[in-house]
Amino acid sequence: MDKLERRKLIETALGRREATLKLENANLVNVFSGEIYMANIYLCDNYIADVVEIENDTNKKALKVIDLKGKYLAPGFIDSHLHIESSHLTPYHFAEAVIPKGTTTIIADPHEIGNALGEEGVDYMLEASQNLPMNQYFLIPSCVPSVVGLETTGAELNSDLIDRMLDKERILGLGEVMDFVGVINSDKRMEDIIDVAYRKNKFLQGHAPEVVGDDLSAYLCGGPVSCHEVRNGIHAKEKIRKGMVVDARESSISKNITSIVENVKGFKSPRNLTLCTDDREPKDILGKGHINDCVRVAVKAGLEPIEAIRAVTLNTAQIYNLEKLGAIAPGYKADMVVFDNLNDFNVEKVFYMGKLVAEDDKMLVDIPKPEIKLENKNTVTVKDFEIDDFKIKAPIENGTLEIIGMEYISKERSVTRRKTFTVNVKDGYVDLEGTELNFVAVVNRYPNNDNIALAIVENFYMEKGAVGTTYSHDSHNMTIIYNKAEDAQAICKRIAEIGGGVVVVENGKVVDELPFPIAGMLSKKSAKDVSVDIERMNNVLREYGIRTDSPITRPSTLALIVIPDVKMSDLGLIDVLKQEVIKQF
């Protein structure tokens, strides 16, 4: 805000200048005082000039008046942690979907596209999010690849490159530091990357699943200050007590808000509690909502409404040092949301920088859709693999033997454990016929790299056919789950042809496909169209055995080598905690 804007605000507050907009009869949610009361709000262009209790209002003049008729008025909602890529939408199509739900600010970590394309991917997200009627802030991915030496991705961001990238516009800090083992053990690479952000006084976002006790204290001493991977409410209690920011998550897969709230609702106004969506699909955004749905879930779980609203407004704004955001008060930016009640939080109006941009779940302003070269570039490169490349070669010709693989502990959670299986061997290859086990292949999809690694997984529940995807956390290499090698080969070829996405094959023939041609993870379509495509694919995958809330996302969790205990990369089966490749035989 320059001095002229400040002068105009002063004059408006004093009634010497007409307000550009007056919102009257608002049931104001005051996140500073913790009160809700009737008030009138005067705006001067993009900012709030005055907030007055109705009985004390002198009725200053305004060019325009909107009567809110007692509806609730709160600051615009802020999502403290998410990955736009998980919606499979471009930043501008994402804005179209979330703004009508009351989201006016997001803090996004583009480490998905960062792993695929490095700085080029981050620059794409910045370019595609320009001039939107919402704030899209970003963090520089800290772990590209997520763990050096355990996977190969499309880029590597070192401390020197991150140092330069942190100076880009709308960059708030360092994205989730997933290599918690490296932080705790003072790994030089992680130390150097964290130090760059620390010296620039940038935000240090954390990622510490199941990290407790001394290890948690050590992780916090290492620099990261937040965690969205809190799945157990007891862990949330410890983390909040130790000063860590807990980003309580309600994604399309991981639904942790209820457990967290049930354990921390006795705390008195914790300033280090926020709410986030992390990974949410278009269907959930359009149907359930966005961060407003997180507020709804938190209140239902027992969090006081004012505390839930604070968790998506003032708390997040102050944690990220977002100046003049997160409250409705004189001098603050006029990002506001109108909703019907303190249980459902159905959004009726959304204001961004003093303008009404959405009403009754519809956008009122146009979203700019820039032409960007990257959107037409095929980034998936694989060699012509043979069928035998998708078969696990055994150390014996025929008979049985033990092989180390992984098992999912539940249908919904992404946690997997190490397990030893006794399998048949036929003609020199592992044979899973007659079992409920599946093969998994991780194929490197980046130029000048032909890596392919194979393993066995239990409780994935792919009953027939095969599914493959390039939306595969965090490397976004091609992950294929299959029963027959010829199906895996067909998937590999087809995904490369369409530039990435999800493909289902049975008996060597494509059953269905969902292209994500932008970096192998984003669609060019709108949220509504992508939602229809994803739901169609989810229904196909349920028919093939993956009966979870989000079947399309299930394959992506196999290669997530920062989530305990055992995962898969293009280098082999990975022990997450020991950070080493496991020998299968």
Side-chain angles (χ1 to χ4, degrees):
M1 187 192 307
D2 59 32
K3 64 181 180 181
L4 179 59
E5 288 175 309
R6 291 196 297 273
R7 186 185 306 154
K8 289 170 65 176
L9 271 174
I10 291 170
E11 292 172 353
T12 305
L14 293 172
R16 297 171 185 169
R17 175 188 289 269
E18 273 191 314
T20 52
L21 176 64
K22 176 185 178 183
L23 301 178
E24 62 181 17
N25 298 314
N27 220 343
L28 177 68
V29 179
N30 192 315
V31 292
F32 287 123
S33 65
E35 301 172 280
I36 298 176
Y37 53 88
M38 296 298 292
N40 295 334
I41 295 88
Y42 292 89
L43 275 59
C44 177
D45 296 328
N46 301 332
Y47 294 89
I48 297 164
D50 200 5
V51 179
V52 190
E53 294 177 54
I54 284 180
E55 59 268 28
N56 298 327
D57 192 8
T58 58
N59 293 312
K60 292 186 279 274
K61 291 183 179 180
L63 293 172
K64 183 178 180 180
V65 177
I66 297 178
D67 187 352
L68 295 184
K69 299 178 180 179
K71 294 297 175 74
Y72 291 91
L73 180 70
F77 296 154
I78 306 173
D79 192 333
S80 63
H81 171 78
L82 62 85
H83 307 284
I84 294 176
E85 303 97 311
S86 296
S87 69
H88 306 294
L89 303 172
T90 60
Y92 47 86
H93 281 313
F94 180 82
E96 282 181 325
V98 303
I99 292 171
K101 308 301 181 183
T103 304
T104 57
T105 300
I106 62 170
I107 295 95
D109 177 2
H111 78 221
E112 316 298 354
I113 199 167
N115 267 282
L117 302 176
E119 186 175 10
E120 181 186 17
V122 175
D123 286 345
Y124 166 77
M125 299 301 278
L126 289 168
E127 186 176 358
S129 61
Q130 288 181 335
N131 304 315
L132 296 174
M134 72 176 302
N135 303 303
Q136 290 194 2
Y137 294 108
F138 292 88
L139 305 170
I140 298 301
S142 64
C143 298
V144 176
S146 60
V147 185
V148 174
L150 294 184
E151 65 181 3
T152 44
T153 63
E156 182 172 340
L157 301 186
N158 58 30
S159 58
D160 290 339
L161 182 53
I162 289 173
D163 190 351
R164 179 170 57 78
M165 292 174 70
L166 282 168
D167 293 329
K168 296 177 185 286
E169 289 188 9
R170 288 186 287 125
I171 297 297
L172 299 182
L174 195 64
E176 54 180 294
V177 181
M178 298 180 291
D179 187 5
F180 58 89
V181 178
V183 175
I184 292 169
N185 292 320
S186 297
D187 171 77
K188 184 181 184 305
R189 175 176 180 267
M190 286 315 309
E191 273 190 330
D192 290 345
I193 288 173
I194 289 171
D195 193 55
V196 164
Y198 195 87
R199 284 187 287 104
K200 287 178 179 274
N201 197 29
K202 295 285 190 175
F203 187 81
L204 285 158
Q205 191 178 73
H207 170 114
E210 312 294 322
V211 179
V212 296
D214 293 348
D215 285 347
L216 176 60
S217 296
Y219 184 74
L220 288 167
C221 289
V225 301
S226 66
C227 182
H228 62 278
E229 285 288 347
V230 183
R231 303 167 188 270
N232 183 318
I234 299 297
H235 294 171
K237 222 170 179 179
E238 180 188 7
K239 287 178 177 179
I240 287 177
R241 283 172 171 168
K242 287 188 173 182
M244 191 175 215
V245 176
V246 170
D247 302 312
R249 170 177 59 183
E250 200 78 5
S251 72
S252 289
I253 311 171
S254 301
K255 305 179 189 302
N256 310 131
I257 288 178
T258 297
S259 175
I260 291 171
V261 167
E262 286 175 350
N263 281 273
V264 306
K265 61 186 177 184
F267 289 174
K268 301 204 180 289
S269 299
R271 302 306 303 275
N272 52 339
L273 174 67
T274 75
L275 307 181
C276 74
T277 60
D278 195 15
D279 304 299
R280 189 167 278 219
E281 294 179 5
K283 179 184 176 183
D284 287 338
I285 294 172
L286 298 177
K288 297 178 182 178
H290 193 240
I291 202 71
N292 64 317
D293 181 52
C294 296
V295 175
R296 186 184 302 128
V297 172
V299 170
K300 185 177 180 180
L303 196 63
E304 289 293 327
I306 192 74
E307 297 299 340
I309 293 169
R310 270 197 185 119
V312 298
T313 57
L314 187 63
N315 286 5
T316 308
Q318 292 189 338
I319 286 164
Y320 279 96
N321 196 28
L322 298 175
E323 186 178 0
K324 299 302 182 181
L325 275 182
I328 297 175
Y332 273 68
K333 294 175 182 176
D335 295 356
M336 299 171 289
V337 57
V338 178
F339 54 91
D340 57 354
N341 63 70
L342 295 173
N343 293 309
D344 301 316
F345 298 93
N346 296 315
V347 174
E348 297 184 0
K349 290 180 173 63
V350 182
F351 294 86
Y352 172 71
M353 296 298 282
K355 296 179 177 61
L356 184 62
V357 295
E359 187 171 24
D360 297 331
D361 211 29
K362 293 182 176 62
M363 291 296 303
L364 298 180
V365 298
D366 292 332
I367 298 285
K369 299 175 176 63
E371 292 288 334
I372 304 174
K373 288 183 180 180
L374 180 62
E375 294 185 347
N376 298 308
K377 176 182 177 181
N378 189 336
T379 63
V380 179
T381 304
V382 295
K383 78 169 189 178
D384 292 329
F385 287 100
E386 303 294 332
I387 289 179
D388 283 355
D389 291 326
F390 293 95
K391 296 179 179 179
I392 297 178
K393 182 68 176 174
I396 62 174
E397 193 66 20
N398 291 286
T400 62
L401 85 168
E402 290 187 341
I403 182 173
I404 297 172
M406 68 175 96
E407 66 165 344
Y408 276 92
I409 66 172
S410 76
K411 283 188 175 183
E412 296 296 339
R413 295 188 64 187
S414 58
V415 175
T416 47
R417 295 182 299 205
R418 176 179 181 144
K419 187 171 181 178
T420 300
F421 303 100
T422 299
V423 296
N424 293 322
V425 176
K426 184 177 179 180
D427 298 328
Y429 294 100
V430 172
D431 181 13
L432 299 182
E433 188 173 355
T435 74
E436 294 183 350
L437 304 174
N438 296 118
F439 291 109
V440 55
V442 175
V443 182
N444 192 286
R445 52 160 278 202
Y446 301 109
N448 306 313
N449 193 317
D450 296 333
N451 287 354
I452 180 172
L454 312 177
I456 290 173
V457 61
E458 186 177 45
N459 297 336
F460 191 87
Y461 304 110
M462 193 76 189
E463 295 171 357
K464 60 181 180 178
V467 60
T469 181
T470 48
Y471 184 70
S472 183
H473 298 301
D474 284 305
S475 66
H476 297 283
N477 281 314
M478 193 183 302
T479 300
I480 307 171
I481 300 89
Y482 59 101
N483 300 298
K484 298 178 181 179
E486 53 265 37
D487 288 346
Q489 182 195 39
I491 282 177
C492 189
K493 180 179 179 181
R494 184 56 185 162
I495 287 182
E497 289 173 347
I498 64 175
V502 184
V503 173
V504 176
V505 164
E506 186 175 10
N507 296 324
K509 295 183 179 180
V510 174
V511 175
D512 203 353
E513 62 185 37
L514 174 52
F516 293 143
I518 303 174
M521 59 189 72
L522 302 180
S523 172
K524 298 180 181 180
K525 297 182 179 181
S526 69
K528 183 178 179 180
D529 290 340
V530 173
S531 177
V532 170
D533 289 345
I534 290 176
E535 187 57 20
R536 184 194 72 244
M537 180 60 76
N538 277 338
N539 287 333
V540 170
L541 292 175
R542 289 185 185 105
E543 290 178 10
Y544 278 66
I546 309 175
R547 299 177 185 96
T548 66
D549 286 347
S550 180
I552 191 177
T553 311
R554 183 73 162 174
S556 74
T557 63
L558 275 164
L560 192 52
I561 65 170
V562 292
I563 297 293
D565 288 329
V566 174
K567 285 292 188 285
M568 187 75 184
S569 84
D570 65 318
L571 300 180
L573 203 60
I574 304 298
D575 186 312
V576 174
L577 297 179
K578 292 182 179 179
Q579 294 196 334
E580 63 184 21
V581 178
I582 298 170
K583 292 183 179 180
Q584 293 176 294
F585 299 109

